[in-house]
Amino acid sequence: MIALISCLLLFVVPASWVGNNALLPNVIGQTSPSVEMTETASSSQQRVLERLFTTSEVSADWFIPSFLEQIPVAQIQDVLTDISTQLGAFQNVQETADGLAIRFSRGTVPAQIRLEEDGRIAGLFFEPASIPIDLDEAIAVIESSPYETSVLVTQDDETLVDLNADQALAVGSAFKLSVLAALNQQIESGLLTWDTVVELQPDLKSLPSGLMQDWPDGSFVTVDTLAKLMIALSDNTATDVLIQSVGREAVEAMAERNQPLLTTRELFTLKNPENARLLRQYRDGDREARRKLLEDLGDRPLPSVNTFTGSPIALDVEWFFSPRELCTLMDSVANLPAMQINPGVANPINWKNIAFKGGSEPGVLNMTTRLVNEEGNTYCVSATWNSTEQALNEDILTQLYRSMIAGLTE
C-alpha cells in the first residue's frame, strides 16, 4: 500500500518576501527582468537547491539571519532528510513555467526559492511531492476510502480506469466547465464575442472564491476576463455574470440533469441556515416549482462565508456530473485561453498541455484534468469524492490524485 503524504512540505518565509502573499507561488517574479537576468537567477536557484539535497549537512551560512529566526537549521535538515527518504536519490533541478522542480528517483517536488544578492537563501517553499503510483494500486486505495467515489482515467480513446465513471456525484465548481462550454458555443455561433462587455450588477455578486464580489457595482468587464476569472480563480461572481449573459437554459443544455441549474448565489442562499423553509420547498418541488422559487429568491442576503467551512450542508442541492461527462466537457474547452492559466496539481514539466478545473465544498471534492504529452497522447483524469456525514480529507485525496497523474508519465 502506498504511503500518502498528507501535509505540505513548507518553509515559512520572511515577511519581506512579497508581503502577505509570500506562500503563493504565482506572485513570484512580478517584475519583468531581461532574459539574461532571468536565466542567471534561475541557474543560481537551481545550484542552491542542488546543494541542499547533495550535501550531507546544511550550513547556517546559506541562509539570511531572519530566515533562521523562524526556521532553525536543524528543522531545515529534518525536512530535507524526510523528502530524500520518501523520494529516493536526488537527480536534478529543472525550471518549469511556475518555478522549479526537484527530481528524485521516486518523485518530483515543485519548489520556490528566493536568494539575496550574495546568494544566501531568503525564502524557500516546497509543494507536495508528485509520487508516481500504479493505477491499479491507486484504485485499491480509492476503493478503501469511506467516501462515495467515481473515477475515470482515459488515454485517447481507451479507458484505463472506470470506477463508477457514469455515476453523477456533486462536483462543486467543476460545473463551471458547462458554463464555459455554453459560452464558447454562443461565441462560435456569433451571439457573443470574447470582447463583449457586460456590467457587474449587485444582485449577481456571490461569495468567494474569487475577486469580483469585492469589485464596485457597475464595473464593466469583458466576457474573456469573466471566463478567465471563472476558471483560473474559480470566481463565483464571474460565473453568475456569465450564466446571466449566456442564459440559464444554454448552460442547462450542457448539464441536462442539473435543471434548474443553480447559480452560485442561489446555491449559497438555499443552503443558508436562515432559509430552511425555502430549502424544504425547493427539495419538495418539481422542476417548474423550483424554477419559480429561484425567481422569488430575489436579493435575499447571503450567509457568511464561514457557514461553509465545517460539516457538509445539503449536498442534494449542488451540481451533479459524472466523470465521463466532465471529461467530455473538458475536451470541448481544453484549448481555450481560460484553460491555460491554472494547471491544477499536475506538474507542467511533464506535459505539453494541461487543462484543469476542480471543485469543492465540505463533503465534496472533484478534480478533472486533461493532459497532452510530448508524443501527442491525450489523457483525462477525473475523480469525485462525496460524503454527506463528514468533511473530506482533501490533503490525502489531492495527493493521491496528484500521484495518479504522475504515474501516467512512467
Side-chain angles (χ1 to χ4, degrees), residues 337-401:
M339 301 301 305
Q340 308 305 309
I341 301 171
N342 180 359
V345 302
N347 189 345
I349 198 172
N350 295 328
W351 301 98
K352 182 178 179 180
N353 183 267
I354 302 173
F356 167 81
K357 188 71 193 84
S360 67
E361 67 165 296
V364 174
L365 178 64
N366 170 270
M367 288 174 281
T368 298
T369 310
R370 182 181 183 271
L371 310 117
V372 181
N373 64 16
E374 292 296 332
E375 290 73 35
N377 302 117
T378 300
Y379 298 83
C380 185
V381 183
S382 183
T384 306
W385 291 272
N386 282 185
S387 173
T388 59
E389 303 299 326
Q390 60 184 317
L392 303 172
N393 190 328
E394 293 192 11
D395 287 341
I396 286 182
L397 297 178
T398 300
Q399 179 59 41
L400 176 59
Y401 182 85

Side-chain angles (χ1 to χ4, degrees), residues 10 67 88 100 177 220 233 284 334 339 347 388:
L10 177 67
F67 189 105
L100 298 167
L177 289 171
F220 291 97
L233 297 182
D284 293 340
M339 301 301 305
N347 189 345
T388 59

Side-chain angles (χ1 to χ4, degrees), residues 147-170:
Y147 312 130
E148 193 172 9
T149 306
S150 56
V151 180
L152 177 67
V153 182
T154 63
Q155 177 183 346
D156 300 322
D157 296 326
E158 179 185 359
T159 297
L160 303 181
V161 173
D162 179 343
L163 179 61
N164 308 316
D166 293 304
Q167 180 180 3
L169 297 176

Side-chain angles (χ1 to χ4, degrees), residues 267-296:
L267 178 137
F268 291 132
T269 302
L270 286 172
K271 289 176 181 276
N272 185 346
E274 296 181 2
N275 295 329
R277 180 180 59 83
L278 286 176
L279 178 60
R280 287 194 300 271
Q281 292 176 354
Y282 186 84
R283 283 170 163 164
D284 293 340
D286 59 16
R287 184 181 301 176
E288 294 311 312
R290 290 183 175 189
R291 287 191 189 279
K292 181 64 169 60
L293 186 146
L294 294 180
E295 292 174 3
D296 294 341

Side-chain angles (χ1 to χ4, degrees), residues 115-399:
L115 304 178
E116 293 291 282
E117 291 184 359
D118 61 7
R120 289 182 298 169
I121 298 171
L124 189 58
F125 174 39
F126 298 135
E127 295 185 30
S130 296
I131 307 171
I133 179 174
D134 178 83
L135 288 178
D136 290 338
E137 188 177 4
I139 294 305
V141 175
I142 290 171
E143 289 183 318
S144 69
S145 79
Y147 312 130
E148 193 172 9
T149 306
S150 56
V151 180
L152 177 67
V153 182
T154 63
Q155 177 183 346
D156 300 322
D157 296 326
E158 179 185 359
T159 297
L160 303 181
V161 173
D162 179 343
L163 179 61
N164 308 316
D166 293 304
Q167 180 180 3
L169 297 176
V171 299
S173 286
F175 95 96
K176 294 168 185 176
L177 289 171
S178 66
V179 182
L180 184 61
L183 170 63
N184 188 51
Q185 187 178 77
Q186 292 199 357
I187 288 173
E188 289 180 341
S189 66
L191 294 175
L192 294 171
T193 72
W194 292 111
D195 294 328
T196 298
V197 175
V198 296
E199 184 178 1
L200 174 58
Q201 301 292 338
D203 61 349
L204 293 178
K205 288 186 174 181
S206 187
L207 295 178
S209 55
L211 304 171
M212 287 191 67
Q213 72 277 354
D214 298 322
W215 288 14
D217 296 345
S219 297
F220 291 97
V221 61
T222 65
V223 163
D224 179 66
T225 297
L226 289 168
K228 288 172 179 172
L229 289 171
M230 176 178 70
I231 298 300
L233 297 182
S234 207
D235 193 300
N236 289 327
T237 298
T239 303
D240 289 358
V241 174
L242 283 175
I243 292 173
Q244 184 193 59
S245 298
V246 303
R248 195 191 302 264
E249 294 78 10
V251 183
E252 288 175 347
M254 305 291 174
E256 293 185 357
R257 67 166 51 84
N258 295 275
Q259 298 190 22
L261 181 122
L262 296 169
T263 66
T264 70
R265 183 184 177 97
E266 289 166 348
L267 178 137
F268 291 132
T269 302
L270 286 172
K271 289 176 181 276
N272 185 346
E274 296 181 2
N275 295 329
R277 180 180 59 83
L278 286 176
L279 178 60
R280 287 194 300 271
Q281 292 176 354
Y282 186 84
R283 283 170 163 164
D284 293 340
D286 59 16
R287 184 181 301 176
E288 294 311 312
R290 290 183 175 189
R291 287 191 189 279
K292 181 64 169 60
L293 186 146
L294 294 180
E295 292 174 3
D296 294 341
L297 281 182
D299 58 354
R300 289 175 180 268
L302 288 165
S304 166
V305 69
N306 294 328
T307 303
F308 304 98
T309 59
S311 300
I313 300 175
L315 291 195
D316 57 318
V317 179
E318 242 273 358
W319 302 280
F320 294 88
F321 291 82
S322 71
R324 201 177 306 279
E325 290 167 336
L326 291 175
C327 283
T328 298
L329 285 169
M330 178 66 82
D331 192 58
S332 71
V333 300
N335 293 321
L336 295 177
M339 301 301 305
Q340 308 305 309
I341 301 171
N342 180 359
V345 302
N347 189 345
I349 198 172
N350 295 328
W351 301 98
K352 182 178 179 180
N353 183 267
I354 302 173
F356 167 81
K357 188 71 193 84
S360 67
E361 67 165 296
V364 174
L365 178 64
N366 170 270
M367 288 174 281
T368 298
T369 310
R370 182 181 183 271
L371 310 117
V372 181
N373 64 16
E374 292 296 332
E375 290 73 35
N377 302 117
T378 300
Y379 298 83
C380 185
V381 183
S382 183
T384 306
W385 291 272
N386 282 185
S387 173
T388 59
E389 303 299 326
Q390 60 184 317
L392 303 172
N393 190 328
E394 293 192 11
D395 287 341
I396 286 182
L397 297 178
T398 300
Q399 179 59 41

